[in-house]
Amino acid sequence: MKRTVIIGSGNLAEALARAIDRSSLQLVQIFSRNARRAEEVARLSHTAAESDPARLADADIYIIAVSDRAIAEVAASLPLPPSAVVAHTSGSTPLEALPDHMRRAVFYPLQTYTKGREVDFGKIPIFIEAESEELRNTLRDYALHLSDKVIFADSATRGELHLAAVMVCNFTNQMYALGEEIAARSGLGFEVLKPLIEETTAKALAAASPRDVQTGPAVRGDLATQERHCKLLEQEPLTLNIYKLISQSIWETSKKI
Amino acid sequence: MKRTVIIGSGNLAEALARAIDRSSLQLVQIFSRNARRAEEVARLSHTAAESDPARLADADIYIIAVSDRAIAEVAASLPLPPSAVVAHTSGSTPLEALPDHMRRAVFYPLQTYTKGREVDFGKIPIFIEAESEELRNTLRDYALHLSDKVIFADSATRGELHLAAVMVCNFTNQMYALGEEIAARSGLGFEVLKPLIEETTAKALAAASPRDVQTGPAVRGDLATQERHCKLLEQEPLTLNIYKLISQSIWETSKKI
């Protein structure tokens, strides 16, 4: 199983297309209703673009990399050959979102994708799901062309993983945004926080568990400093509540160790 | 002004001692009541250790790197020469915590310090404060031996910065800890989240503002996914509340752009 069509032209579609292009797999087409973006992704991954369903290319596997909402409709409306594998790429969508007459599967590479940023696909864990052992194994062999870390996960596990991903990615990024906002009140730019952000992440990644390297007033139980911080947030009730709850969460996590 | 005594032997004292040792400044002594740790830090920074107040070395500047609570008492109890500069290193402690008969100052290098981890001091912003312009300039010249980024900041600004630091460092680390906890419910280790964490941080550091690179269900206003996530957190009321408030904060931040 090598001949691949990617359906979709968003950031994940782009990253995946580039990774397939660099692998020993065969990328035969980027299919997207957005003809302009399909062309762009196809150009970056040295393949053909198509937006007319009647000209969907023949392939062994169709990877549906569209928004969660659109998965079911896209799968149902395209003339997909019944012998092909059809996989969606969503962390939070069950396998069952795909029609059950298909050789349906999930292919979820856990990463955050940004237009124009190349990611090293070889380091990304790919979570796969399929209903038969035969298809699971076929899909695993396929995914191993792209990454060393291929992991079977059912829809429930993938749902939890997606939640964990939101925490360490979107919520972390919001902590950066709140830090930037607070620094800006003193006329300081995001720049001054960057060395701290870099080291915080490097430290956590080097640790067996992030719990082992927690620092600051919350884990020390330093209530005087916490009170001073809360006073600074008096005018920002939402951020104040976030401050209090995360401080409490840090304190409770430290007790579990 | 070059001859430096560091008072304290914690993680910041260690990082600072190593940085001074590598600079053109002169580290004449590590002073700490914890004789064993003083020896350790002194060994790492090729200087002498001392724990007897009667043998505190003569120096141009005494940098007090002890816990916030202990600053005032340490400054008052040691036989510090009146001609010397006495600086504390705390983000959340006002200059006035030091006795007012001293040439008092603040020297706050914004970073997180861990025993055994070397940090590149040259990249750390150092925030300094003093009551006279003369002392501010002296302190700036001193700090420039250690870092290119030396910034004047009064106690109010430093207090805000410390709060911003707690957000981007301690709170970010707690997002990692919560992500780990959730992945563990499916038997998956922290390892699977590491490539995502790495890319999230790299992306924010490369951006003009972290707000510009936010992704995920909260910024998209994808309530269906948020509801699924909340359901997964039913048994964890504190984490559930954190999820809801940060999602709301992301949504409101995105409207400000």
Side-chain angles (χ1 to χ4, degrees):
Chain A
M1 185 171 83
K2 291 203 168 178
R3 289 175 311 145
T4 309
V5 167
I6 293 179
I7 299 169
S9 58
N11 300 338
L12 167 55
E14 177 183 318
L16 186 58
R18 289 168 165 222
I20 293 177
D21 177 44
R22 281 190 306 266
S23 76
S24 49
L25 300 170
Q26 248 179 283
L27 184 60
V28 295
Q29 192 178 68
I30 306 295
F31 182 91
S32 172
R33 284 166 201 181
N34 182 338
R36 200 188 50 72
R37 265 295 289 170
E39 288 290 350
E40 202 175 319
V41 174
R43 188 176 47 73
L44 289 167
S45 56
H46 311 98
T47 189
E50 187 51 66
S51 55
D52 176 359
R55 286 197 292 225
L56 183 68
D58 189 53
D60 304 316
I61 179 168
Y62 294 81
I63 300 187
I64 303 182
V66 300
S67 70
D68 294 3
R69 270 186 301 250
I71 292 169
E73 195 248 315
V74 163
S77 68
L78 289 177
L80 300 164
S83 62
V85 177
V86 179
H88 79 64
T89 54
S90 164
S92 60
T93 306
L95 174 68
E96 289 72 27
L98 295 169
D100 67 1
H101 66 267
M102 290 182 175
R103 296 183 69 203
R104 60 188 180 179
V106 179
F107 177 97
Y108 173 49
L110 180 62
Q111 187 51 284
T112 176
Y113 305 95
T114 315
K115 209 188 318 200
R117 273 188 75 84
E118 275 229 55
V119 292
D120 180 357
F121 231 87
K123 289 200 296 185
I124 300 176
I126 300 176
F127 293 88
I128 58 174
E129 179 177 9
E131 285 161 310
S132 74
E133 203 187 326
E134 172 257 327
L135 184 46
R136 266 197 297 278
N137 291 338
T138 303
L139 201 62
R140 185 197 54 209
D141 294 345
Y142 175 85
L144 283 170
H145 286 276
L146 297 169
S147 168
D148 293 337
K149 290 186 215 153
V150 178
I151 303 167
F152 295 122
D154 59 19
S155 291
T157 297
R158 203 171 57 254
E160 301 255 31
L161 262 172
H162 187 251
L163 171 59
V166 164
M167 299 251 169
V168 304
C169 173
N170 309 152
F171 286 10
T172 287
N173 194 71
Q174 185 62 7
M175 295 304 110
Y176 299 161
L178 292 175
E180 179 187 39
E181 213 170 290
I182 291 162
R185 306 200 303 202
S186 304
L188 292 162
F190 186 51
E191 288 300 321
V192 302
L193 298 173
K194 286 185 174 178
L196 175 59
I197 286 173
E198 211 164 342
E199 171 65 9
T200 299
T201 301
K203 185 157 93 167
L205 291 175
S209 163
R211 293 175 303 176
D212 303 341
V213 294
Q214 188 57 282
T215 57
V219 74
R220 279 200 310 270
D222 174 352
L223 296 176
T225 299
Q226 290 178 57
E227 266 166 42
R228 270 197 300 273
H229 287 165
C230 288
K231 209 152 174 55
L232 294 174
L233 292 171
E234 261 174 355
Q235 308 297 318
E236 315 266 2
L238 178 55
T239 309
L240 175 61
N241 277 331
I242 289 173
Y243 182 93
K244 286 180 180 170
L245 292 184
I246 300 180
S247 293
Q248 191 189 335
S249 179
I250 290 174
W251 180 248
E252 294 191 1
T253 296
S254 76
K255 286 190 298 184
K256 287 187 204 159
I257 303 179
Chain B
M1 186 170 85
K2 291 203 166 179
R3 289 174 310 146
T4 309
V5 166
I6 293 178
I7 299 169
S9 56
N11 299 338
L12 166 56
E14 177 182 316
L16 185 57
R18 289 168 166 225
I20 293 177
D21 177 44
R22 280 191 305 265
S23 76
S24 49
L25 300 170
Q26 249 178 281
L27 183 60
V28 296
Q29 192 178 70
I30 305 297
F31 182 89
S32 172
R33 286 169 200 179
N34 182 339
R36 198 189 51 74
R37 265 296 287 170
E39 289 289 351
E40 202 173 319
V41 174
R43 187 177 48 73
L44 289 168
S45 56
H46 311 100
T47 189
E50 187 52 69
S51 55
D52 176 358
R55 287 196 292 225
L56 184 69
D58 189 52
D60 304 316
I61 179 169
Y62 294 80
I63 300 187
I64 303 182
V66 301
S67 69
D68 294 3
R69 269 187 301 250
I71 291 170
E73 195 248 314
V74 162
S77 67
L78 289 177
L80 300 164
S83 62
V85 177
V86 179
H88 78 63
T89 54
S90 165
S92 60
T93 306
L95 174 67
E96 290 73 26
L98 295 169
D100 67 0
H101 66 269
M102 289 180 178
R103 298 184 68 205
R104 59 190 180 177
V106 178
F107 177 97
Y108 173 49
L110 180 61
Q111 186 51 283
T112 176
Y113 306 96
T114 314
K115 209 186 319 196
R117 273 187 74 84
E118 276 228 56
V119 292
D120 181 356
F121 232 85
K123 291 200 294 181
I124 300 176
I126 300 176
F127 294 89
I128 58 174
E129 179 177 9
E131 284 159 310
S132 73
E133 204 189 325
E134 171 258 328
L135 183 47
R136 265 197 297 278
N137 291 338
T138 304
L139 200 62
R140 186 197 52 210
D141 295 345
Y142 175 85
L144 283 170
H145 286 278
L146 297 169
S147 169
D148 293 336
K149 292 186 213 151
V150 179
I151 303 167
F152 295 122
D154 60 17
S155 292
T157 298
R158 203 172 55 252
E160 301 254 32
L161 262 173
H162 187 251
L163 171 59
V166 163
M167 298 253 170
V168 304
C169 174
N170 309 152
F171 287 9
T172 287
N173 193 71
Q174 185 63 9
M175 294 304 111
Y176 299 160
L178 291 176
E180 179 188 39
E181 213 170 289
I182 291 162
R185 304 198 304 201
S186 303
L188 291 163
F190 186 51
E191 288 301 320
V192 302
L193 298 172
K194 286 184 173 178
L196 176 59
I197 287 174
E198 212 165 342
E199 172 65 9
T200 299
T201 300
K203 184 157 96 168
L205 291 176
S209 162
R211 291 175 305 176
D212 303 341
V213 294
Q214 187 58 280
T215 58
V219 75
R220 279 200 311 269
D222 174 350
L223 296 176
T225 299
Q226 290 178 57
E227 265 167 43
R228 270 198 299 273
H229 286 165
C230 287
K231 205 145 176 62
L232 294 175
L233 292 171
E234 263 174 353
Q235 307 299 316
E236 315 264 1
L238 178 55
T239 308
L240 175 60
N241 278 331
I242 289 172
Y243 182 93
K244 287 179 178 168
L245 292 184
I246 300 180
S247 293
Q248 192 188 336
S249 180
I250 290 173
W251 180 247
E252 296 192 0
T253 295
S254 76
K255 286 189 298 183
K256 286 185 204 162
I257 301 182

